[in-house]
Amino acid sequence: MLELRNLRKRFGSLTAVDGLSLALRPGEVFGLLGPNGAGKSTTISMMVGLLEPDEGSVVLHHDNREHSPQHAHVRAMLGLAPQSLAIYDELSAIENLRFFANLYGIRGRDAITRAQNALALTGLSDRAHDRAKVFSGGMKRRLNLACALLHRPRLVLMDEPTAGVDPQSRNALFDIVRTLQADGVTVVYCTHYMEEAEKLCDRVAVVDRGRLLAIGTVHELINAHGGPSELVLEHDSAPGTLARSPVTDPIPELAAAIAKGGLRSATIQRPTLENVFLNLTGRSLRD
Amino acid sequence: MILALAIKDLRLLSRDVTALFFTFAFPVIFAVFFGMMFSGGGRGSGKLALAIVDEDRSARSQALVQRLTDSGEFDLSPADSADAAEHLVLTRKAAAFIRIPAGFGKAGESFLLNPGNAPALEVGVDPSRQAESGMIQGILTKHAFADFGEAMMNPAKMRQQLATTIPLARVAAAAGAGPKSLPDFLTQLDRFMGEMERETAATTATPSDPASATTTAPAAGFNPVNITTRDVKPPRTGPTNAFAVSFPQGIIWGVMGASMGFAGSLLSERKAGTLARLLVAPANRRHVIMGKALGCLIACLLVILLMLSMAVAFFAVRPGDPLKLAAAILATSVAFVGLMMIVSCIARSDQGASGLGWGIMMVLAMLGGATVPLFAMPAWMQQVSDISPIKWAILAIEAGLWRPLSWTEVAPALVILTTIGVAGFAIGLRFFRTAP
C-alpha cells in the first residue's frame, strides 16, 4: 500500500527522521507511536507529500505501479485528519465538506450525497447546517475526520484523532476506524494513548528520534519488549501493602505463595504496550 | 478548484463582521463624512444657485423675477444677457439659468385668447443635474399658475388683461378665427369684473391675498407657461462635488480592508492547519495562492463597484469617462492583490499581517492622498506621494470620474498599479512555493 524506504529528513542541525523504513499492508490499522519530537508528524507530512524527504523515498503502490505522493493525482488516494483542526470555523459542517469535496473535483448532487454520508458516519447529520465554531471539541474532531473521508481515500492518516475529546466522541471515533477497516481502508493511527493502539491497531511501530525502534503486532511487541509479568501479592499480615515481583513464569511462583499460606490476594499483571513503549523509549521526559 | 478556493474565502469574508465593517461600512462612512465636510455642510444658504436673465423687461416678466426672489426658493443671480447667464452655469457659479425671452409679457396678455401660445421660459442646465432641472421646472410652473390665479382673482388685473384681449377677440371673431360669442362673453366678464372691483374697494381696502394665490393647484392639461430646457455642459476641470473626491478615498480604504483581510487569511490558513489539508487535496501551492488572489480581486472589485454605485445613486457623482474608470477599477484591484501578497510574505502570523499590513497601508494612504486629498497637499508632499501606489489608484479613479486626464496622462498610473499587482503576485507565488 505505502512504503517508506530509508527515509531521512533534517531541519538544520536536527535530524527529524533518520533512516526510517516500513511498509503498510492494505486494509490494516497501523499504529505509529512515539514520544514528543520522535518524528511522527514529519513522517506523516512526508507520507502525504507535504514534505519532500532529503533521502529515501515514499512509495504508494497503486495499479501495480509505484507512485510518489508528491503527485497531485495520487494524493486523491490519501485522506489526512491532522492533529490541528483543519476546518473552517465560520463555515457550517456541510459547507466545509462541500468545499473540500469541490477540491477533489466532486461537485453538485454527488458532493451533497458524499457530504451527507460523511456526516452520518461521524454522527453529525443533525448539526449539518451549524457553523463549526459552535461545535464541541469532539464534534470538531469528527468533522475534521469527515473532511478527510468524503473523497473515499484508500489510505487515511489520523494524527492524534482523540486529543482533547470526551469518552463518547472517542468511542465514536473508534467505531469510525473499525468501519473504515471493514471497508478495506488502510489507516495510519498516530497516538500517545497506548490503550487506543492496543484496542485498534493490527500492527504498531514505535519510533523515537526519527528511528524505528520496533514494529509488529501488539502481542509480538509485548512478548519481545514488554519485559516479565509481575506477581502482585497482598498478605494477611500487612493488608493494603502490595508486594511486586517480576516473574518469567508466574504460575509456579503463585502456587508457591499459596502453599506458604497467609495470602489475602494475588494478581498476575501481564506487560502492556505502555511497558513496551517505556522500555524502548526510556522514562526521561521529552519536551 | 481556484474558483472553489476563491468562493470559500469570499464566504468566510462575508461571515466576518469586523472584516465586513472595515471593508464595506467604514469606507462608506468615511466617504460620506468627508464628502459632507468638504461640501461645507451648513455653509451658505443651501438654496440652489440660479442665474436669471430678463430679456423681456415687461411688467409681467419683472413680476415673475420678483416673485421668484421673494419666494426664497432659489439663490438668484441676475445676469445682463443670456451669454452671461450661461457663463455662470459653465463656471459652476450657478446650477442653472432661467431666461425670460422677449415676448413673455405679450404672450401672457393674449393667453386667454390663445391658451396654446403660453408665455415661454428657457432653463439652461447641466445635463448631469436632471434632478435639479425637474425641480426648477416644477417651481417655475407653480409660480406661473400663481400669477395666473392672482390675475383671475384680482378684478383690476383681470380687467387690464381683458382690455387687451377683447379687441383682439373681436378681430379674430370677424375673421372667423375664433368663437363669435367670445367677444360678447369677454365684454360681459369685463363688466362683471368692474362691478367686483367697485364692490371690493367699498368693502375692504385689502387687495386679494397673493399668498393664497400661490397655493393654486395646477390644472391638468392646462399650463400657463411653456418651459423649454437646454443642456449647458460645463467643462470638467474639477470634481463635480466633494463626494467625487471623498468616494475615491473611501474606495481606497475599502480595498485596503479587503486586501489586508486576505493577507491575514493566507497566514491563518497555515496556522490553523487548513493549508496542510488544502495541499494534501489535489490542490498545489499555486492553486491555493491563485485562489486567494482571485478571492481578493473579486472582493476588491465588489467594494469598488458597490461604493461607486452608492456615489452615483445618492451623491450625484458621475463617471466622466466610463472606460478610464473601468481600467482604473481593474488596475487598482490588481495592485491591491499584489500588495496583499507582499504583506503576507513579510508577516509571520495572521496578527502580524494585520498589524504590519495596516501599518504599511496607513503610511501609504497618508502619503497617497487617502486621508488629505492630493490637491490639498503642499507641492513637495505631492511629489513625495509619487512613491505611494495609493496616489496612483486615486488618480486613476478620479480620471474616470472628473479629472481631465487623457489616456496618455492616465497610462503611467495604470501601468504602475498593474506592475505592483503582477510583481506582488509573482513574489507571493515564489515565496509560497518555496516556504516550508
Side-chain angles (χ1 to χ4, degrees):
Chain A
M1 180 73 211
L2 181 135
E3 207 179 333
L4 308 184
R5 292 175 181 166
N6 196 27
L7 218 54
R8 228 174 275 273
K9 184 73 187 176
R10 291 184 198 87
F11 296 107
S13 60
L14 175 76
T15 303
V17 177
D18 190 7
L20 188 63
S21 294
L22 55 87
L24 303 184
R25 296 169 188 161
E28 73 173 339
V29 178
F30 186 85
L32 193 59
L33 310 183
N36 291 336
K40 301 189 298 290
S41 293
T42 305
T43 303
I44 284 190
S45 292
M46 287 191 284
M47 281 179 172
V48 296
L50 281 175
L51 279 178
E52 211 166 338
D54 296 332
E55 287 176 41
S57 58
V58 178
V59 174
L60 265 164
H61 297 280
H62 179 58
D63 291 340
N64 296 320
R65 289 173 62 191
E66 292 186 350
H67 303 272
S68 163
Q70 292 284 333
H71 294 128
H73 69 280
V74 179
R75 281 207 292 252
M77 292 170 59
L78 308 175
L80 173 67
Q83 185 178 355
S84 55
L85 294 165
I87 52 175
Y88 296 99
D89 276 350
E90 292 296 336
L91 299 185
S92 68
I94 194 107
E95 285 171 342
N96 267 290
L97 289 164
R98 288 187 66 182
F99 165 65
F100 286 112
N102 284 345
L103 289 189
Y104 285 95
I106 306 160
R107 294 178 205 288
R109 196 66 237 163
D110 193 19
I112 295 169
T113 308
R114 289 205 195 192
Q116 285 168 342
N117 289 343
L119 288 169
L121 180 68
T122 51
L124 292 170
S125 296
D126 293 345
R127 306 294 296 273
H129 297 285
D130 290 353
R131 291 194 194 173
K133 70 176 177 185
V134 300
F135 284 5
S136 68
M139 292 165 76
K140 283 185 178 180
R141 283 270 159 222
R142 282 184 273 148
L143 178 58
N144 192 39
L145 182 56
C147 291
L149 301 179
L150 85 168
H151 63 288
R152 296 176 190 153
R154 301 310 304 152
L155 171 61
V156 176
L157 297 103
M158 300 164 75
D159 195 359
E160 303 286 356
T162 58
V165 304
D166 58 28
Q168 285 79 8
S169 280
R170 186 177 298 139
N171 271 312
L173 286 162
F174 292 166
D175 289 342
I176 295 166
V177 173
R178 291 190 189 105
T179 307
L180 291 172
Q181 190 179 25
D183 290 344
V185 175
T186 307
V187 177
V188 174
Y189 196 94
C190 222
T191 184
H192 282 114
Y193 301 113
M194 298 302 139
E195 71 277 13
E196 287 182 12
E198 278 195 69
K199 208 180 267 186
L200 292 172
C201 297
D202 298 312
R203 288 195 307 146
V204 168
V206 180
V207 293
D208 195 15
R209 296 189 168 88
R211 291 183 180 180
L212 180 66
L213 301 180
I215 185 167
T217 63
V218 172
H219 187 66
E220 286 168 351
L221 290 179
I222 288 172
N223 282 342
H225 306 284
S229 300
E230 261 188 345
L231 184 61
V232 184
L233 302 174
E234 184 186 12
H235 295 280
D236 288 336
S237 55
T241 305
L242 301 176
R244 296 173 178 274
S245 53
V247 286
T248 43
D249 192 359
I251 302 302
E253 299 272 351
L254 179 61
I258 293 167
K260 272 190 198 171
L263 200 62
R264 194 180 178 92
S265 69
T267 317
I268 298 167
Q269 284 190 348
R270 296 273 298 155
T272 63
L273 198 56
E274 189 162 333
N275 297 108
V276 174
F277 187 82
L278 290 172
N279 289 338
L280 287 170
T281 62
R283 289 179 182 272
S284 60
L285 292 173
R286 308 294 177 84
D287 294 317
Chain B
M1 184 180 293
I2 293 166
L3 189 63
L5 286 159
I7 291 169
K8 179 264 297 174
D9 279 321
L10 290 170
R11 189 168 276 157
L12 288 174
L13 175 71
S14 74
R15 296 195 179 157
D16 184 342
V17 179
T18 312
L20 271 186
F21 175 80
F22 281 103
T23 304
F24 292 100
F26 173 73
V28 173
I29 294 167
F30 177 95
V32 173
F33 177 75
F34 282 98
M36 289 175 78
M37 211 168 83
F38 290 134
S39 300
R43 188 193 61 190
S45 63
K47 296 171 195 165
L48 198 61
L50 291 187
I52 190 158
V53 55
D54 182 2
E55 294 175 343
D56 190 44
R57 297 188 187 279
S58 63
R60 186 175 285 268
S61 68
Q62 284 167 9
L64 176 64
V65 173
Q66 194 57 49
R67 188 182 282 278
L68 287 172
T69 308
D70 294 346
S71 75
E73 288 161 315
F74 300 119
D75 187 2
L76 282 182
S77 300
D80 295 336
S81 65
D83 287 346
E86 188 171 332
H87 180 72
L88 288 172
V89 178
L90 290 171
T91 53
R92 296 188 186 284
K93 287 177 183 153
F97 72 79
I98 300 167
R99 186 173 75 89
I100 307 173
F104 177 84
K106 278 246 182 284
E109 285 165 2
S110 62
F111 179 61
L112 280 176
L113 183 67
N114 189 6
N117 185 28
L121 286 174
E122 185 186 44
V123 174
V125 65
D126 183 342
S128 68
R129 308 188 72 162
Q130 287 304 314
E132 288 92 333
S133 171
M135 188 183 82
I136 294 164
Q137 290 180 58
I139 291 173
L140 287 175
T141 306
K142 181 182 80 172
H143 284 291
F145 265 106
D147 187 46
F148 182 75
E150 192 185 338
M152 296 296 270
M153 297 297 287
N154 186 329
K157 279 194 175 182
M158 188 66 188
R159 294 195 72 200
Q160 201 179 339
Q161 174 93 34
L162 289 169
T164 53
T165 306
I166 290 168
L168 292 169
R170 284 192 204 288
V171 173
K180 284 195 168 101
S181 58
L182 183 60
D184 296 337
F185 167 72
L186 292 175
T187 307
Q188 288 298 320
L189 182 60
D190 183 42
R191 199 167 296 142
F192 171 72
M193 283 295 164
E195 286 169 15
M196 283 293 290
E197 193 177 8
R198 284 188 294 278
E199 186 83 11
T200 307
T203 52
T204 173
T206 312
S208 61
D209 182 7
S212 65
T214 58
T215 58
T216 308
F222 169 77
N223 208 337
V225 68
N226 177 21
I227 301 170
T228 54
T229 59
R230 182 155 69 84
D231 289 350
V232 180
K233 198 172 181 181
R236 294 204 172 274
T237 53
T240 46
N241 59 32
F243 296 104
V245 175
S246 66
F247 265 87
Q249 292 178 311
I251 283 169
I252 295 302
W253 287 101
V255 289
M256 282 199 298
S259 59
M260 289 308 101
F262 272 85
S265 83
L266 196 50
L267 290 150
S268 62
E269 293 257 25
R270 186 188 283 173
K271 183 176 150 191
T274 44
L275 184 62
R277 170 161 274 156
L278 296 179
L279 296 175
V280 172
N284 57 34
R285 285 169 187 255
R286 194 166 47 89
H287 288 133
V288 175
I289 297 301
M290 288 176 80
K292 286 280 173 203
L294 180 63
C296 184
L297 183 74
I298 293 171
C300 289
L301 288 171
L302 283 176
V303 169
I304 298 176
L305 292 175
L306 180 82
M307 289 209 58
L308 281 176
S309 304
M310 288 187 74
V312 170
F314 304 115
F315 298 97
V317 176
R318 298 283 175 267
D321 189 332
L323 211 58
K324 281 197 196 102
L325 187 60
I329 291 169
L330 197 61
T332 302
S333 301
V334 167
F336 275 86
V337 170
L339 290 171
M340 178 274 287
M341 299 286 268
I342 291 169
V343 169
S344 57
C345 286
I346 299 169
R348 312 309 303 167
S349 66
D350 50 342
Q351 292 95 340
S354 178
L356 180 81
W358 276 109
I360 293 172
M361 287 295 170
M362 287 297 279
V363 175
L364 294 178
M366 283 190 280
L367 284 177
T371 48
V372 178
L374 288 170
F375 59 77
M377 289 180 177
W380 67 270
M381 188 82 170
Q382 287 190 26
Q383 280 197 322
V384 173
S385 68
D386 283 357
I387 63 165
S388 171
I390 286 169
K391 170 188 179 159
W392 302 108
I394 290 177
L395 210 62
I397 294 169
E398 286 181 347
L401 291 177
W402 58 266
R403 205 176 268 277
L405 297 179
S406 65
W407 276 105
T408 317
E409 289 168 314
V410 81
L414 298 176
V415 170
I416 288 169
L417 292 169
T418 310
T419 306
I420 289 168
V422 172
F425 182 75
I427 291 167
L429 200 58
R430 188 174 172 78
F431 179 83
F432 278 99
R433 284 175 77 172
T434 54

